[in-house]
Every structure is written in structure tokens, then in C-alpha cells.
């Protein structure tokens, strides 16, 4: 019996004819169709996302998260803004003008006449001058730097900062006094007050600090 003869067929022989055979793998054209459909879906998704981004930009929203970050970095230009120079930078406390600051000038060095010439210059720059003379024993001949600014704790964010623009490097300190005046104690390395232009620039920087973020310059 032939190997091609099924059992129980009585020994009859059969022959396979025809030129078509069963395929053992998926037709290639189906794979191509599947890939084309996948690519089309990805392209539509990207196009839709891009359209939403354009709508946000031209619609004025520009990204909620980014806008929130910009608002934190840039001062509010809208209603309720304080006049420039009215407040100390980074605080809600009024910054006094030089005419509202009373300065006591004390010489803690061995050079004579230093307190008077400095007091006269401060008066020209608009400050009120109080006491003028030699430094008290606690500071006399004991200040190695340019000077010390001494006043009540309440003056540290106001009068002391305004006075500090006139003398670079002066060390701020506080004491227990209840008045609003500030002592300027001149130290060993003191030569002269800051140049008027430099002092005015420093005073302006206290009230209107420069904006470094380009998004704040619009």
C-alpha cells in the first residue's frame, strides 16, 4: 500500500493534483496594511497635539504652569502696585527718605575733625544730623573697619539701610534704644563717604532692584 493511500480505501491509489499549496505564513500585504494603519493613527495624534498647542499660544493662554512661574518671578504690574521707591525691596515696610533719618556721627579713630566733616557732608545729602563728637568708650579706637551703623532693631530694615548707602562696608548693629535715630561710628579704615553718584545708585537699588529675567522687561 502506498504512503498516500489512506487506511480503509481498499488499496486505491490517489494522486494530488493542482498547483496551489497551503501557505505557512501570513500574507505580506496584510502586514503592510497593519503598519500603514498604525502610522496613520500616530500621525493623527501628533497633528491633534500640535493643533492644541497652537490654540493655546494664539488664544492667549500660553501655558498655565509657565504663566504661574512667570508671575512669581516678575513683580505685578497691575492695579494696586506701589509707587517705585515707596517700599524697601522685598518688604512691605515704608523706606524712609534721607530727610527722615537722624544721624549721630561719632569719630572712633585717632584722627581729629573726622566726625564734623562727615556730618557736614551728610547734611548736604539731605540727612538730619544729631549729635557729633567722639565715639563712646565701648567703640572708641575699637572699630577696625570703615564704620558701624548702630540703632534700634526697628531701624535695621529702614534707616540703617538708607544710611548704609552712603558708606560701603559699614557694619549694621542694633541696641536697646527706643528712638529712631542711627549712630554712624567711623572706623580706622574710613577715608570718606561714598561718591554722591554711587550713593544715589545704591539708594535706588534698595527701592527698585533691577529685573534680570527677560520676561519681566515687556
Amino acid at each position: 500500500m502506498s504512503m498516500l493511500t489512506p487506511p480503509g480505501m481498499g488499496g486505491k491509489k490517489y494522486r494530488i493534483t493542482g498547483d496551489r499549496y497551503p501557505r505557512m505564513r501570513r500574507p505580506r500585504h496584510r502586514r503592510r496594511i497593519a503598519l500603514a494603519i498604525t502610522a496613520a493613527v500616530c500621525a493623527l495624534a501628533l497633528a491633534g497635539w500640535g493643533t492644541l498647542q497652537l490654540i493655546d499660544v494664539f488664544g492667549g493662554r500660553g501655558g498655565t504652569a509657565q504663566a504661574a512661574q512667570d508671575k512669581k518671578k516678575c513683580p505685578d504690574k497691575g492695579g494696586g502696585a506701589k509707587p517705585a521707591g515707596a517700599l524697601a525691596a522685598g518688604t512691605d515696610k515704608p523706606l524712609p527718605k534721607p530727610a527722615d533719618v537722624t544721624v549721630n556721627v561719632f569719630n572712633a579713630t585717632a584722627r581729629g575733625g573726622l566726625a564734623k566733616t562727615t556730618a557736614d557732608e551728610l547734611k548736604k545729602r539731605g540727612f538730619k544730623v544729631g549729635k557729633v563728637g567722639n565715639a563712646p568708650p565701648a567703640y572708641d579706637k575699637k572699630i577696625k573697619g570703615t564704620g558701624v551703623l548702630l540703632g534700634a532693631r526697628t531701624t535695621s530694615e529702614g534707616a540703617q539701610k538708607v544710611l548704609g548707602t552712603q558708606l560701603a562696608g559699614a557694619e549694621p548693629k542694633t541696641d536697646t534704644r527706643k528712638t529712631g535715630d542711627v549712630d554712624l561710628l567711623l572706623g580706622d579704615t574710613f577715608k570718606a563717604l561714598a561718591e554722591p553718584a554711587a550713593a544715589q545708585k545704591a539708594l535706588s537699588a534698595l527701592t527698585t532692584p533691577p529685573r534680570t529675567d527677560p520676561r519681566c522687561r515687556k
Side-chain angles (χ1 to χ4, degrees):
M1 180 181 298
S2 171
M3 293 296 292
L4 299 176
T5 303
M9 297 302 293
K12 295 181 180 181
K13 295 181 179 179
Y14 294 87
R15 186 174 59 184
I16 299 175
T17 61
D19 57 358
R20 301 190 67 174
Y21 300 92
R23 293 180 181 273
M24 301 303 294
R25 59 184 179 181
R26 183 178 298 176
R28 292 183 178 178
H29 69 277
R30 293 183 181 178
R31 184 180 299 173
R32 292 175 181 173
I33 292 174
L35 291 175
I37 292 174
T38 302
V41 170
C42 292
L44 288 174
L46 288 173
W49 181 81
T51 301
L52 289 176
Q53 294 300 312
L54 289 174
I55 291 174
D56 283 345
V57 171
F58 290 102
R61 288 183 289 178
T64 303
Q66 186 62 42
Q69 292 295 326
D70 292 346
K71 187 174 182 180
K72 289 180 180 179
K73 294 179 180 180
C74 302
D76 187 9
K77 299 179 183 179
K82 301 295 183 182
L87 300 179
T91 72
D92 293 329
K93 297 180 180 180
L95 193 67
K97 297 178 181 179
D100 299 327
V101 179
T102 299
V103 185
N104 304 313
V105 184
F106 298 115
N107 184 7
T109 74
R111 292 171 284 168
L114 204 59
K116 184 179 185 307
T117 56
T118 303
D120 291 342
E121 181 61 28
L122 286 173
K123 187 179 296 184
K124 292 178 183 178
R125 300 186 184 190
F127 289 87
K128 289 183 179 180
V129 175
K131 300 176 182 179
V132 178
N134 293 326
Y139 290 96
D140 193 26
K141 312 297 189 303
K142 298 177 182 178
I143 301 177
K144 302 302 180 182
T146 58
V148 170
L149 305 178
L150 184 63
R153 188 178 299 275
T154 54
T155 66
S156 60
E157 293 299 323
Q160 284 197 40
K161 283 192 172 182
V162 173
L163 181 57
T165 61
Q166 309 301 310
L167 180 60
E171 181 185 2
K173 290 186 177 183
T174 60
D175 57 15
T176 58
R177 76 182 70 184
K178 303 300 182 181
T179 57
D181 57 327
V182 178
D183 296 347
L184 172 57
L185 300 113
L186 306 177
D188 292 340
T189 61
F190 174 81
K191 294 181 179 180
L193 295 174
E195 291 294 328
Q200 184 58 44
K201 184 177 180 180
L203 184 60
S204 297
L206 281 180
T207 57
T208 54
R211 296 173 180 176
T212 56
D213 194 325
R215 289 167 292 186
C216 300
R217 300 175 185 170
K218 299 179 179 178

